[in-house]
Amino acid sequence: MARRADAQANRERVLDVAEDVFGHGGKSASTEEVARLAGVGIATVFRNFPTKAALLEAVLVRHFERLTAEAEARLDAREPGEAFFGFFRHLVADATKKIALAEALSEAGGAADSRATEAAQALRRAVGGLLDRAQQAGAVRDDVELPEVYALLVGASRAAAHAPLDDEVRSRMLGIVFAGLAPTAVPRNP
Amino acid sequence: MARRADAQANRERVLDVAEDVFGHGGKSASTEEVARLAGVGIATVFRNFPTKAALLEAVLVRHFERLTAEAEARLDAREPGEAFFGFFRHLVADATKKIALAEALSEAGGAADSRATEAAQALRRAVGGLLDRAQQAGAVRDDVELPEVYALLVGASRAAAHAPLDDEVRSRMLGIVFAGLAPTAVPRNP
């Protein structure tokens, strides 16, 4: 029992270190380096994650699952508008790490992975729940739908991660998007 | 003189083919394949473009220069609002090709290239000119600035290229952004 708890703790420590290393652009870091930084034997890492792609996939899935849990925790918020816009802001601020992880996974040859895709879809559904609630509360115009809102979320995230934007510009960019989502916005057919 | 004109025509044909092949996701295509499809000798290609990165760079620079020329041509438009929004729409629709080229260049080892960067900056300045005119004409709210507008343009382009979005969703996504840029939009401090 103690050994199982130790194994679980080691696994989590490896994931924490891998998220930190790969999420901050250390694409070329090796599984061996992750083991060393986590203070565990290389055998422990390989037993849990036979390849670098498997390790990256596990990190990305865990990251999506955490974000999904955060979104779901906001579903009961008293201010559905702030819950939706706040989570949108949070995701965009968090994007650099997530995109670095996804790119590292893609480069490690694990791109079209089903577990990461499923975890990403669960996050999308959770964002859809926040959008519904914000629309019901009148905080978001009711003629927008999840596909275009999610596209904007993805786009703003990619812009923030790749440019990269300083906090001021990121905030002003979101200000435009949020004004466009406001119930007072005049729909514009482009 | 005729030989120089031929050489120029060959060079343009190689660039056209390379833009088509690499712009539609054919990252792994070789310089030899481009020469064959263009119907020119491999020596001709290598004389102009010693490496695949050099070829990709030339394609990307030409692509940026064309877009810049298109933006500049709209600076005198009678409807500065439509000139700005129309060009925004055009860039996002065009993004898949451009991003595929940029990524192919990055993978070929020519990422931080100064000529492509300069061409990209010229495009950014041209978009800034369209934004100024649209704001002077009252078609875009005057409290937004180029950095956040360009970030949105980049973000919408990346979202359209990576998802990839169908025309309907892309149009609805732009509808939200354009509503957020409208002078009637209520600024929202996120």
Side-chain angles (χ1 to χ4, degrees):
Chain A
M1 199 58 195
R3 286 192 61 182
R4 188 183 291 177
D6 280 358
Q8 180 61 27
N10 279 343
R11 188 179 188 278
E12 286 299 311
R13 195 154 62 237
V14 168
L15 289 175
D16 287 344
V17 169
E19 177 159 358
D20 194 48
V21 171
F22 296 117
H24 291 93
K27 282 181 196 176
S28 60
S30 65
T31 310
E32 285 80 358
E33 272 174 88
V34 171
R36 190 176 52 76
L37 289 169
V40 302
I42 183 68
T44 301
V45 177
F46 281 118
R47 196 161 48 233
N48 283 291
F49 313 105
T51 62
K52 182 170 165 181
L55 173 59
L56 280 161
E57 182 208 326
V59 173
L60 195 59
V61 166
R62 193 181 66 159
H63 193 71
F64 278 129
E65 285 173 351
R66 277 188 188 156
L67 290 170
T68 304
E70 285 170 34
E72 287 171 349
R74 292 177 191 236
L75 279 173
D76 297 326
R78 258 197 252 167
E79 302 270 5
E82 178 44 34
F84 169 76
F85 288 115
F87 192 66
F88 197 120
R89 201 160 48 228
H90 173 57
L91 270 194
V92 173
D94 182 73
T96 307
K97 194 163 73 172
K98 197 189 64 187
I99 289 173
L101 288 172
E103 287 182 351
L105 175 58
S106 157
E107 289 187 13
D113 175 76
S114 63
R115 275 188 64 215
T117 307
E118 270 170 37
Q121 282 167 349
L123 176 57
R124 185 186 167 108
R125 279 192 298 275
V127 171
L130 290 175
L131 175 63
D132 278 348
R133 292 248 311 148
Q135 287 178 309
Q136 282 159 21
V140 171
R141 36 191 272 227
D142 57 12
D143 64 334
V144 300
E145 290 172 22
L146 184 59
E148 58 266 24
V149 171
Y150 212 77
L152 273 174
L153 185 54
V154 169
S157 296
R158 288 190 171 273
H162 281 272
L165 305 179
D166 64 35
D167 291 354
E168 166 82 19
V169 174
R170 191 178 71 215
S171 176
R172 292 173 62 96
M173 172 182 76
L174 290 179
I176 296 170
V177 173
F178 294 177
L181 289 169
T184 49
V186 178
R188 233 193 119 97
N189 200 345
Chain B
M1 197 59 194
R3 285 192 61 183
R4 189 182 293 181
D6 280 358
Q8 180 61 27
N10 278 344
R11 188 179 188 279
E12 287 299 312
R13 196 153 64 238
V14 168
L15 288 175
D16 288 343
V17 170
E19 177 160 0
D20 194 47
V21 170
F22 296 118
H24 291 93
K27 282 179 197 178
S28 60
S30 66
T31 310
E32 284 81 358
E33 274 174 86
V34 170
R36 189 176 54 76
L37 289 168
V40 303
I42 184 70
T44 301
V45 178
F46 280 117
R47 195 161 48 235
N48 283 290
F49 314 105
T51 62
K52 181 169 165 181
L55 173 58
L56 280 162
E57 182 205 327
V59 172
L60 195 58
V61 166
R62 192 180 67 159
H63 193 71
F64 278 129
E65 286 173 351
R66 278 189 187 156
L67 290 171
T68 303
E70 285 170 35
E72 286 170 350
R74 292 178 191 235
L75 280 172
D76 298 325
R78 257 198 254 167
E79 302 270 3
E82 179 44 34
F84 169 76
F85 288 115
F87 191 67
F88 197 120
R89 202 160 47 227
H90 172 57
L91 271 194
V92 173
D94 183 74
T96 306
K97 194 163 74 172
K98 200 189 63 188
I99 288 172
L101 288 172
E103 286 183 351
L105 175 58
S106 157
E107 289 187 11
D113 174 77
S114 65
R115 276 189 63 216
T117 306
E118 270 170 36
Q121 282 166 350
L123 176 58
R124 186 187 167 108
R125 280 192 297 274
V127 171
L130 291 175
L131 175 62
D132 279 348
R133 293 248 311 146
Q135 287 178 309
Q136 281 158 22
V140 170
R141 34 190 274 227
D142 58 12
D143 63 335
V144 300
E145 291 172 22
L146 184 60
E148 58 265 25
V149 171
Y150 213 77
L152 271 175
L153 186 53
V154 169
S157 295
R158 288 190 171 270
H162 281 272
L165 304 180
D166 64 37
D167 290 355
E168 165 83 18
V169 173
R170 191 178 69 217
S171 176
R172 292 173 61 95
M173 172 181 75
L174 290 179
I176 295 170
V177 172
F178 293 177
L181 289 169
T184 50
V186 178
R188 232 192 120 97
N189 200 343

